[in-house]
Amino acid sequence: MDLLPCQLEACDALTAFGDADASTTGLLAGLRALELTPVLGQAGGDPVPLALRGPLDETLPPRWLADLQALATRIPSGDWGRGRSPVVVTSCNFGVGSLYAYQRERDPRHVAPGAPFAAVELLQKALGWGDDLTVFSHACVTSHLGLSHAARLLHAGLADRVLVFSYDFLSPFVTGGFHSLKILNRGFPAPYSVGEIGSIGLGDGAAFAVLRRGVAASGGFTVQAHALYNEMFHVTGNQPDGAGFAACAATIATAAGGRRVWVKGHGTGTLEAGRLEAEAIARQFPGSPLVSWKGGLGHTLGSCGLVELAITVRAVRQGRIPGTVGGTDPTFGDHVALEPFAADAFDGIILTSNAFGGAHAAMLLTSS
Amino acid sequence: MSPTPITLERYLHHVKVEWPAADETAAGARVRLADRLPRTALRRMTHLGMLVGCVLEGVPLGSTDALIYATSFAESRALEDYLASFPSPSPLLFQSSIHPGGVQQVLIPRQQPIARLWPMAGRRRLIEQALLAALIEPAATVALVGGEERGTWLLEHGMASDTAFAFCTLLSTDPSGAIGRVEFARADGTAEACPDLQSFALALRDRQPLAWASSGGTWRLTWS
């Protein structure tokens, strides 16, 4: 466990709803940004639930670039990527959608942002960042890695401020893959709900956070601790006894101590992982409400941890926590909160994400 | 004001580099390495996955250890093959194409849980960032693993490696019995070019020292 408190100087997000404020408002209203969309975009295919900020098929320049430039205008000023202000970029898919576009159209301009480093270099040039830039890619726990690494840099005395920037935009490359696994289907996600068939929805997402070492002053937020664990049990499945979920939850529970917390879970809408996660949270945090927002936002993949952190901050400031949009009774436990609830009864938030390979991540957030 | 002096160091206790013949294919590697990798996993492994499997062979990793996995191009061939599978995308190739597939292909058949896995994907300063991640990792033992596989049409566009290789070095804070040392000393200065992944792998293979400056300090790889 990394007990390395870092104050959140700033954070924001972009989803299909809009920025973090708009996303929070949408979730509090129980709205669903997901719409049934042909899984292969122009090429058609089954309609699947996607929450998009633009057309699914990749464009020239890549459609994510303008959105990320717009998001970056909200980053506090700094000499990012230089001196003592490093940048950590995290994504699962970077610009890989461009390779699918090349495959379809044979326009070589599509290849340019195809590799992770090339997408990041395009972004780096567009945003004027220096070369002190670290890139992580670990599927859907990726942004947790970025935040955890940033905390380590700050506590090692190697940085004064760290910008963590995370994004994942959909493309037929990604949607086709999840559809081939049969978890992206015609059904809308109902996280933590008992059902016959599990379904996920996918969404575009991007977010940033600026971190400084130490605990935030009154009115601010602090990421107190991180926990990571990798089962390495199966490529897409988890240990059937939920040991991986339990290991990560136990670690972050130690950091939470006696705090009264609520839990922003991963909750994509798959049945087995949803059940294991809900059970592990109930055991480790008895009486704590558990929510997932992926039924509204879609699963924003590698950016989800940071996107949902930015929404959490907005929700706590507003005093109301969105419930599990899309979830229906019966659920995998009474602790699954389907409706919004008041924030003021709690003094901590656990945020979790999971990924292929049985990767688990969690962090503890507090407000001062 | 001068920055507070900071020196971070770790000791190298194991180095293994896999550098196959330039024309080796995944099919060729499957034959060459048949006795060294689990048979059930072998048929699904990528070239990079097999090479990573070799460099991690016999490496004593525990569930409280950490692994840093550095690659610029990652699963190039799986990515090419997955793209070719459209309009009926292959679930297996989709899974294999996702970073950090190269190392998961090895650890999952071994059922080897690990506390923290840090898959990295940069280019210009990738080695420096991977070493820094290792130096600030609190685990007693950190495995630094890296590698690439040779692409085909992605290579023609500069989006895949022209060489297949993999390396692993085990880093610890214990100097006894070490074969080498990596050190970062904070200092102001002008950044020099950082060794690329391939150069670093060659330095490990040939036990060659490396030294360069980043914008935040100086780096040194030395051998006992």
Side-chain angles (χ1 to χ4, degrees), chain A residues 1-2 40 84 96 99-100 102-103 108 111-112 114-118 121 124 131-139 145 148-149 152-153 156-158 172-174 176-178 180-181 228-236 356-357, chain B residues 3 6 8 63 72-73 79-80 82-84 86-87 89-91 94-95 97-100 103-104 107-108 111-125 129 132-133 136-138 153-154 157-159 184 186 215:
Chain A
M1 174 181 46
D2 280 358
L40 298 183
R84 293 181 53 80
V96 78
L99 296 181
Y100 174 81
Y102 171 74
Q103 192 83 345
V111 183
F117 69 81
E121 286 172 9
Q124 180 185 10
D131 265 352
D132 192 352
L133 196 152
T134 304
V135 185
F136 289 108
S137 182
H138 193 186
L145 266 61
S148 181
H149 184 72
R152 289 183 178 186
L153 290 173
L158 297 171
F173 181 103
V174 177
F178 280 97
S180 74
L181 295 173
L228 299 167
Y229 184 74
N230 295 272
E231 295 178 16
M232 296 296 174
F233 174 76
H234 188 270
V235 179
T236 54
F356 285 154
Chain B
I6 293 177
L8 303 170
S63 61
S72 290
F73 301 104
L79 213 153
E80 291 175 341
Y82 171 65
L83 284 163
F86 278 82
S90 156
F94 176 59
Q95 290 165 30
S97 73
I98 297 171
H99 195 37
V103 75
Q104 286 177 332
L107 296 184
I108 289 172
Q111 297 286 284
Q112 172 61 70
I114 193 157
R116 289 174 297 277
L117 172 62
W118 302 93
M120 307 184 77
R123 183 171 62 167
R124 282 202 288 263
R125 310 204 78 85
Q129 300 297 354
L132 190 61
I136 59 176
E137 166 58 58
W153 66 266
L154 280 173
H157 294 277
M159 293 292 146
F184 170 75
R186 197 170 89 175
S215 60

Side-chain angles (χ1 to χ4, degrees), chain A residues 177-217:
Chain A
F178 280 97
H179 184 252
S180 74
L181 295 173
K182 303 195 188 307
I183 52 175
L184 181 66
N185 48 51
R186 289 168 186 260
F188 283 93
Y192 309 127
S193 296
V194 178
E196 290 293 312
I197 299 169
S199 302
I200 68 166
L202 297 178
D204 291 335
F208 74 84
V210 173
L211 297 153
R212 287 177 181 269
R213 181 175 173 165
V215 176

Side-chain angles (χ1 to χ4, degrees), chain A:
Chain A
M1 174 181 46
D2 280 358
L3 265 173
L4 303 171
C6 290
Q7 54 186 294
L8 269 176
E9 180 185 328
C11 64
D12 207 340
L14 274 184
T15 73
F17 282 124
D19 63 10
D21 285 327
S23 302
T24 307
T25 302
L27 291 171
L28 281 168
L31 299 178
R32 192 167 61 193
L34 296 160
E35 294 178 4
L36 289 176
T37 308
V39 66
L40 298 183
Q42 293 172 29
D46 286 346
V48 296
L50 305 179
L52 296 163
R53 290 186 50 81
L56 181 62
D57 287 276
E58 198 49 278
T59 57
L60 280 169
R63 70 184 179 94
W64 43 265
L65 188 58
D67 265 351
L68 298 188
Q69 286 176 299
L71 177 64
T73 62
R74 300 180 177 208
I75 297 171
S77 62
D79 199 10
W80 296 116
R82 299 178 186 86
R84 293 181 53 80
S85 304
V87 177
V88 181
V89 178
T90 79
S91 178
C92 179
N93 296 293
F94 298 95
V96 78
S98 294
L99 296 181
Y100 174 81
Y102 171 74
Q103 192 83 345
R104 272 178 56 89
E105 300 170 20
R106 295 289 161 187
D107 183 336
R109 291 176 299 169
H110 276 302
V111 183
F117 69 81
V120 173
E121 286 172 9
L122 179 65
L123 191 59
Q124 180 185 10
K125 187 176 174 189
L127 301 182
W129 294 338
D131 265 352
D132 192 352
L133 196 152
T134 304
V135 185
F136 289 108
S137 182
H138 193 186
C140 306
V141 298
T142 295
S143 53
H144 285 258
L145 266 61
L147 291 163
S148 181
H149 184 72
R152 289 183 178 186
L153 290 173
L154 290 162
H155 280 263
L158 297 171
D160 296 327
R161 302 161 86 200
V162 181
L163 167 63
V164 183
F165 196 91
S166 192
Y167 74 99
D168 254 313
F169 279 56
L170 302 177
S171 67
F173 181 103
V174 177
T175 53
F178 280 97
H179 184 252
S180 74
L181 295 173
K182 303 195 188 307
I183 52 175
L184 181 66
N185 48 51
R186 289 168 186 260
F188 283 93
Y192 309 127
S193 296
V194 178
E196 290 293 312
I197 299 169
S199 302
I200 68 166
L202 297 178
D204 291 335
F208 74 84
V210 173
L211 297 153
R212 287 177 181 269
R213 181 175 173 165
V215 176
S218 177
F221 288 81
T222 304
V223 182
Q224 297 279 2
H226 297 270
L228 299 167
Y229 184 74
N230 295 272
E231 295 178 16
M232 296 296 174
F233 174 76
H234 188 270
V235 179
T236 54
N238 296 103
Q239 287 177 271
D241 61 0
F245 289 94
C248 191
T251 304
I252 203 68
T254 304
R259 285 187 175 89
R260 171 97 169 103
V261 301
W262 60 275
V263 181
K264 191 293 300 166
H266 188 61
T268 60
T270 57
L271 295 179
E272 185 68 358
R275 180 180 65 79
L276 292 173
E277 183 189 7
E279 289 174 356
I281 296 298
R283 274 196 302 273
Q284 203 63 57
F285 302 99
S288 294
L290 168 67
V291 299
S292 163
W293 298 329
K294 293 185 174 67
L297 306 170
H299 182 359
T300 62
L301 302 171
S303 74
C304 72
L306 196 44
V307 165
E308 293 168 7
L309 171 65
I311 293 171
T312 297
V313 166
R314 299 311 194 278
V316 172
R317 282 193 178 134
Q318 290 188 29
R320 295 285 293 168
I321 309 305
T324 301
V325 177
T328 53
D329 279 321
T331 60
F332 294 125
D334 294 341
H335 60 310
V336 176
L338 297 178
E339 301 299 327
F341 57 91
D344 57 7
F346 303 93
D347 56 4
I349 305 114
I350 304 292
L351 299 101
T352 71
S353 297
N354 307 309
F356 285 154
H360 300 269
M363 60 184 140
L364 169 66
L365 178 73
T366 59
S367 56
S368 301

Side-chain angles (χ1 to χ4, degrees), chain B residues 34-177:
Chain B
D35 296 336
R36 295 173 61 185
L37 297 165
R39 188 180 298 175
T40 50
L42 189 64
R43 65 189 175 88
R44 293 183 165 196
M45 293 179 84
T46 62
H47 198 186
L48 179 56
M50 288 184 271
L51 299 179
V52 169
C54 286
V55 297
L56 278 171
E57 192 177 21
V59 171
L61 282 174
S63 61
T64 57
D65 293 331
L67 191 152
I68 291 156
Y69 177 49
T71 172
S72 290
F73 301 104
E75 299 296 327
S76 309
R77 289 303 307 274
L79 213 153
E80 291 175 341
D81 292 344
Y82 171 65
L83 284 163
S85 73
F86 278 82
S88 301
S90 156
L92 177 62
L93 291 168
F94 176 59
Q95 290 165 30
S96 303
S97 73
I98 297 171
H99 195 37
V103 75
Q104 286 177 332
Q105 289 172 51
V106 178
L107 296 184
I108 289 172
R110 281 166 58 164
Q111 297 286 284
Q112 172 61 70
I114 193 157
R116 289 174 297 277
L117 172 62
W118 302 93
M120 307 184 77
R123 183 171 62 167
R124 282 202 288 263
R125 310 204 78 85
L126 174 61
I127 274 299
E128 192 174 286
Q129 300 297 354
L131 287 170
L132 190 61
L135 293 179
I136 59 176
E137 166 58 58
T141 302
V142 181
L144 173 59
V145 177
E148 304 287 4
E149 62 184 7
R150 200 172 57 252
T152 60
W153 66 266
L154 280 173
L155 172 58
E156 292 167 15
H157 294 277
M159 293 292 146
S161 173
D162 60 0
T163 308
F165 64 93
F167 65 83
C168 171
T169 179
L170 279 187
L171 302 165
S172 93
T173 51
D174 181 6
S176 57

